[in-house]
């Protein structure tokens, strides 16, 4: 039996990925850039036996079946195939046990941290040395955003151009210690399961939104500008760019047929409150993934006032995050 355990953090994109050019390999139409979110994490243990048999997958204390299990089993299958091809060894059935230290009700998708931890643990259990690029390429095939959770700090996922996806991986732009004052506050304004998941939402947007080409085209330049703003730790510039990018992603999705609206009335209330707070001298901006729960960008000195603002507007909980570190083998 060979076993390894790994831990990875989720991430929040400031320039977002929305749309695949290859559904199977999960290759994006555009590059994206995110902040890794500490201290939240997912820990995953992978154990390979010599004997073959069906893989077992347990997530947060329960055995999973169906689509959830298939995505994990497929990723483990990629590692098995790589071991056969490169190390000339055969791995038998795998047991995967994963748990997150943040509830689904935190309003953050755990798939980025989960597939990053799985990719790192599965490769380590199979006997491969650490290799962030290979880990990112593997994690990407579980969930696109997971490619950006292998490394800490500020991470850019380069879209790549090749059909085989070998040039589509994420790289660290600035490390975890680059901007210690930065705070990311996740506000839970709705617990409802979203009606359209990211995978289906992206596909529909790419196929039916007339705004999609403009969205994808602008991303490369946005990533470059964001890197310059991050280099200067200029929250006003970073925040304005993140807000504009989030609005444009949602505008593109709203242009799909049927329209995809992930916003709830309380989401708009928080967005409006950020604008009002800024006019009163609180440095707070928002970003928004494909869901109703905003993530606020602020600095340590304004953290308490920014958190009070989302709580007052009805957020059931506020999760306080700072830039997180690399995925680790434990
Ligand atoms: O990797 P997925 O399938 O969870 O898609 C992530 C899409 C967004 O969260 C909306 C944007 C992003 O870049 O993380």
């Amino acid at each position: 039996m060979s076993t390894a355990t790994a831990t990875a953090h989720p991430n929040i994109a400031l320039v977002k990925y929305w749309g695949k050019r290859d559904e199977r390999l999960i290759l994006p139409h555009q590059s994206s850039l995110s902040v890794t979110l500490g201290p939240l994490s997912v820990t995953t243990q992978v154990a390979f036996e010599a004997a073959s048999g069906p893989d077992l997958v347990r997530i947060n204390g329960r055995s999973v079946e169906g689509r959830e299990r298939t995505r994990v089993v497929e990723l483990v299958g990629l590692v098995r195939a790589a071991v056969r091809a490169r190390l000339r060894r055969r791995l038998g059935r795998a047991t995967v046990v994963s748990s997150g230290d943040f509830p689904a009700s935190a309003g953050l998708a755990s798939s980025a941290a989960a597939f990053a931890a799985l990719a790192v643990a599965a490769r380590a259990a199979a006997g491969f040395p650490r290799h962030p690029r290979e880990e990112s390429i593997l994690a990407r095939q579980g969930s696109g955003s997971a490619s950006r959770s292998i490394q800490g700090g500020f991470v850019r996922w380069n879209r790549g151009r090749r059909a085989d996806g070998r040039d589509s991986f994420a790289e660290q732009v600035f490390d975890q210690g680059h901007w210690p004052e930065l705070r990311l506050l996740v506000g839970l304004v709705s617990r409802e399961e979203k009606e359209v998941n990211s995978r289906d939402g992206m596909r529909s947007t790419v196929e039916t939104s007339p705004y999609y080409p403009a969205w994808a085209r602008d991303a490369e330049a946005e990533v470059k500008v964001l890197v310059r703003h991050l280099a200067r730790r200029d929250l006003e510039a970073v925040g304005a760019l993140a807000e504009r990018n989030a609005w444009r992603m949602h505008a593109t999705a709203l242009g799909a047929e049927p329209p995809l609206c992930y916003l709830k009335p309380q989401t708009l209330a928080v967005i409006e409150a950020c604008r009002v707070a800024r006019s009163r001298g609180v440095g707070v901006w928002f970003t928004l993934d494909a869901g109703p729960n905003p993530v606020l960008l602020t600095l340590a000195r304004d953290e308490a006032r920014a958190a009070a603002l989302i709580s007052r507007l009805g957020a059931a909980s506020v999760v306080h995050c700072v830039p997180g570190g690399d995925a680790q083998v434990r």
Side-chain angles (χ1 to χ4, degrees):
M1 176 110 98
S2 50
T3 304
T5 302
T7 296
H9 302 291
N11 68 71
I12 179 76
L14 303 176
V15 170
K16 295 181 192 293
Y17 141 63
W18 192 252
K20 299 174 178 61
R21 65 187 159 92
D22 184 310
E23 295 268 341
R24 187 179 62 85
L25 291 173
I26 309 194
L27 298 175
H29 274 294
Q30 80 269 357
S31 302
S32 53
L33 200 157
S34 58
V35 191
T36 308
L37 295 178
L40 313 178
S41 68
V42 170
T43 298
T44 301
Q45 184 187 64
V46 177
F48 286 107
E49 291 171 36
S52 55
D55 296 335
L56 287 176
V57 181
R58 285 182 73 77
I59 299 177
N60 291 331
R62 60 179 183 95
S63 282
V64 297
E65 296 298 333
R67 179 84 200 116
E68 219 178 343
R69 176 177 177 277
T70 306
R71 286 174 74 184
V72 172
V73 167
E74 281 176 0
L75 195 115
V76 170
L78 293 174
V79 175
R80 234 186 241 109
V83 165
R84 223 174 16 245
R86 288 194 250 151
L87 306 180
R88 307 248 166 255
R89 282 197 299 120
R90 272 185 189 281
L91 294 172
R93 74 178 207 152
T95 302
V96 176
V97 180
S98 181
S99 63
D101 64 6
F102 56 103
S105 60
L108 273 171
S110 56
S111 67
F115 281 103
L118 175 64
V120 173
R123 278 180 48 92
F128 288 111
R130 290 291 316 259
H131 194 304
R133 177 183 297 198
E134 292 298 333
E135 289 163 356
S136 177
I137 288 174
L138 180 62
R140 189 200 74 217
Q141 291 170 82
S143 168
S145 54
S147 67
R148 300 188 310 244
S149 273
I150 300 297
Q151 286 177 292
F154 300 82
V155 179
R156 179 181 56 221
W157 174 12
N158 301 309
R159 50 157 281 154
R161 305 228 162 244
R162 289 172 57 140
D164 65 3
R166 296 293 303 158
D167 57 353
S168 187
F169 53 86
E171 288 178 303
Q172 186 178 69
V173 184
F174 301 106
D175 69 15
Q176 181 185 9
H178 173 69
W179 198 354
E181 304 82 18
L182 183 65
R183 296 291 180 273
L184 304 119
L185 309 180
V186 189
L188 178 72
V189 302
S190 170
R191 280 177 198 279
E192 275 172 47
E193 188 79 12
K194 60 186 170 200
E195 279 161 38
V196 184
N197 64 34
S198 296
R199 192 171 286 236
D200 295 341
M202 281 183 208
R203 189 185 306 122
S204 161
T205 308
V206 173
E207 287 172 3
T208 66
S209 177
Y211 312 132
Y212 191 77
W215 158 260
R217 187 196 60 220
D218 289 352
E220 306 313 309
E222 296 237 291
V223 166
K224 284 200 184 103
V225 173
L226 178 60
V227 170
R228 289 205 292 273
H229 295 335
L230 288 170
R232 294 197 316 274
R233 299 180 196 87
D234 180 343
L235 184 68
E236 189 170 347
V238 169
L241 194 150
E243 288 195 351
R244 189 180 72 183
N245 185 268
W247 274 129
R248 288 185 178 179
M249 184 190 93
H250 284 269
T252 309
L254 278 165
E257 180 62 44
L260 288 160
C261 182
Y262 292 104
L263 311 165
K264 298 277 181 202
Q266 280 170 314
T267 315
L268 294 173
V270 171
I271 289 171
E272 173 61 7
C274 286
R275 198 183 57 77
V276 172
R278 286 202 296 270
S279 70
R280 294 179 184 157
V282 184
V284 58
W285 284 261
F286 78 92
T287 184
L288 195 60
D289 274 352
N293 300 313
V295 178
L296 303 192
L297 309 170
T298 190
L299 297 178
R301 64 166 186 262
D302 285 330
E303 183 175 4
R305 285 200 287 174
L309 181 138
I310 15 182
S311 302
R312 202 173 55 240
L313 290 167
S317 60
V318 179
V319 183
H320 293 246
C321 300
V322 292
D326 295 348
Q328 306 268 356
V329 176
R330 303 194 335 161

